[in-house]
Amino acid sequence: MPNIIGTLYTLTTFGESHGVAIGGIVDGMPPGIDIDLEFIQNELNRRRPGQSKITTDRKETDEVELLSGVFEGKSTGAPIGFIVKNKNQQTKDYDAIRDLFRPSHADYTYYKKYGIRDYRGGGRASARITLARVVAGALAKLVLRKYNISIQAYTSQIGNIALERDYRRYDLSLTEKNAVRCPDEAKAKEMESLIAKVKSEGDTIGGVITCVVKGCPVGLGEPEFGKLHAQLGAAMLSINAAKGFEYGEGFDGSTWRGSQQNDGFATIKENENDDIAIQTNHSGGIQGGISNGEDIYFRVAFKPVATLLMEQKTVDIAGNEHTIDPRGRHDPCVLPRAVPIVESMTAMILLDALLVNNSKRV
């Protein structure tokens, strides 16, 4: 189904950008998990609009309300329903484009597919819908804590300003120390200046988010069509403005030779049990579609936001040519607010894969 993700840990989302609320239903949440509402809200705050000068001016508190599935602070195993009410819509900003197709938006494809579209802020196609993913991802993170699995995403590139590809060069705990969510302070300042410049010109810019998973056990992922990297790739590419996904050495590794790419094995004899170690991790923690116990790392490319605060040529639903001059409040760069979304999608995929893997054990 198009509005559901997952096999055992599932999320069903609903709502529109300018509707009453955004919400979802999480099913498959294990019982007895401490529900840290403050943590969930903090995850939403990381995605919230209006949090810095380089994000949209829309002001939303994005307060989550859990409707079911929690009793005395713990998950019951029943579906967890939740809503986040929209409080700062400015629908009038979109009146002038109700019959126009904005370049590179979902306006045209939604209209041709359904014969109707919600023009207010993109409706169902709005990036605001992703807040439901952040709630579900936060719940998944609470479970993954019990398995000592951690997830850290960060902005690794804005335009042509990029960090080194090797995430081990950086202290990822510094990611939340700046508005761009980049663990390199000097590069973060350059990125922020670039975004501010682009915003002042009414334009937008894209970039890359890197995500690192530590503590993932061996065995997650299912052959043939449930490979872990395929599930992660599908999840990442379902995020608004995502245009590309690569894991491990990715596209750069395609220029290497096999003798450079292969991750060799070695035996570590430190106790009575001989442990097998992987000497390198060019595979990105996944081999044969199954996690191998090493760090999982991948990159997601995001295009520039499609809404430009400048004139563009377009047509209306009757095919008449127009000049469109959009108004409203929009991000000049989606990357900083997409970091928690990437983490949330990763958490949901990993928890789902973990539950599926555990269900096969007798």
Side-chain angles (χ1 to χ4, degrees), residues 176-254:
E176 296 294 319
K177 299 295 184 180
N178 55 75
V180 187
R181 295 200 163 91
C182 170
D184 183 297
E185 182 179 0
K187 289 289 187 180
K189 290 179 179 178
E190 291 182 41
M191 292 175 179
E192 187 168 353
S193 295
L194 177 58
I195 295 172
K197 180 178 183 294
V198 167
K199 181 180 181 180
S200 70
E201 297 169 351
D203 214 336
T204 61
I205 195 165
V208 176
I209 289 175
T210 297
C211 187
V212 181
V213 178
K214 292 183 175 292
C216 186
V218 180
L220 303 192
E222 305 295 322
E224 160 107 355
F225 300 110
K227 294 175 180 176
L228 187 59
H229 60 270
Q231 294 183 60
L232 287 169
M236 297 308 137
L237 293 174
S238 74
I239 301 172
N240 304 58
K243 299 295 285 186
F245 171 84
E246 61 176 356
Y247 72 104
E249 298 297 343
F251 286 99
D252 275 9
S254 66

Side-chain angles (χ1 to χ4, degrees), residues 266-325:
T267 301
I268 302 176
K269 296 180 179 293
E270 293 183 346
N271 48 44
E272 295 179 358
N273 298 317
D274 291 343
D275 296 321
I276 295 176
I278 299 175
Q279 296 175 304
T280 56
N281 189 22
H282 301 307
S283 300
I286 303 172
Q287 293 173 325
I290 297 171
S291 60
N292 64 8
E294 298 294 309
D295 291 352
I296 295 173
Y297 62 95
F298 58 85
R299 292 157 49 92
V300 188
F302 288 85
K303 71 173 184 175
V305 177
T307 301
L308 312 182
L309 298 183
M310 61 175 67
E311 290 188 352
Q312 299 177 83
K313 298 294 184 182
T314 190
V315 298
D316 61 22
I317 59 176
N320 300 310
E321 293 186 354
H322 288 267
T323 297
I324 187 172
D325 188 7

Side-chain angles (χ1 to χ4, degrees), residues 67-211:
L67 305 176
S68 62
V70 179
F71 180 68
E72 295 184 341
K74 294 183 180 293
S75 59
T76 65
I80 297 178
F82 63 88
I83 59 170
V84 176
K85 293 181 179 178
N86 295 322
K87 298 181 178 180
N88 191 227
Q89 310 98 312
Q90 292 184 4
T91 302
K92 66 180 185 300
D93 289 340
Y94 298 91
D95 288 344
I97 64 162
R98 62 187 306 152
D99 294 324
L100 301 180
F101 297 132
R102 293 169 297 171
S104 286
H105 284 70
D107 299 347
Y108 174 74
T109 51
Y110 268 56
Y111 182 76
K112 296 297 287 187
K113 181 176 178 66
Y114 298 108
I116 187 174
R117 70 178 175 93
D118 185 346
Y119 63 88
R120 306 165 304 166
R124 186 67 176 158
S126 170
R128 181 155 178 76
I129 307 303
T130 58
L131 63 80
R133 305 176 185 213
V134 174
V135 175
L139 289 167
K141 283 183 177 181
L142 293 176
V143 182
L144 295 178
R145 283 179 180 177
K146 298 175 68 67
Y147 294 89
N148 295 316
I149 299 173
S150 66
I151 302 167
Q152 177 68 68
Y154 62 95
T155 299
S156 55
Q157 183 171 343
I158 298 291
N160 60 0
I161 302 172
L163 302 188
E164 297 291 333
R165 287 177 61 96
D166 188 351
Y167 65 90
R168 295 169 299 182
R169 293 175 177 264
Y170 302 98
D171 180 356
L172 301 189
S173 68
L174 301 177
T175 298
E176 296 294 319
K177 299 295 184 180
N178 55 75
V180 187
R181 295 200 163 91
C182 170
D184 183 297
E185 182 179 0
K187 289 289 187 180
K189 290 179 179 178
E190 291 182 41
M191 292 175 179
E192 187 168 353
S193 295
L194 177 58
I195 295 172
K197 180 178 183 294
V198 167
K199 181 180 181 180
S200 70
E201 297 169 351
D203 214 336
T204 61
I205 195 165
V208 176
I209 289 175
T210 297
C211 187

Side-chain angles (χ1 to χ4, degrees), residues 5 133 235-236 238-239 341-350:
I5 185 171
R133 305 176 185 213
M236 297 308 137
S238 74
I239 301 172
I341 302 169
V342 168
E343 290 181 4
S344 295
M345 297 305 294
T346 304
M348 284 192 283
I349 294 300
L350 291 181

Side-chain angles (χ1 to χ4, degrees), residues 34-52:
D34 290 327
I35 302 301
D36 186 342
L37 193 57
E38 183 178 354
F39 171 75
I40 297 171
Q41 186 60 57
N42 185 64
E43 291 292 276
L44 274 175
N45 292 346
R46 295 171 66 209
R47 194 222 70 94
R48 185 174 60 192
Q51 58 186 277
S52 74

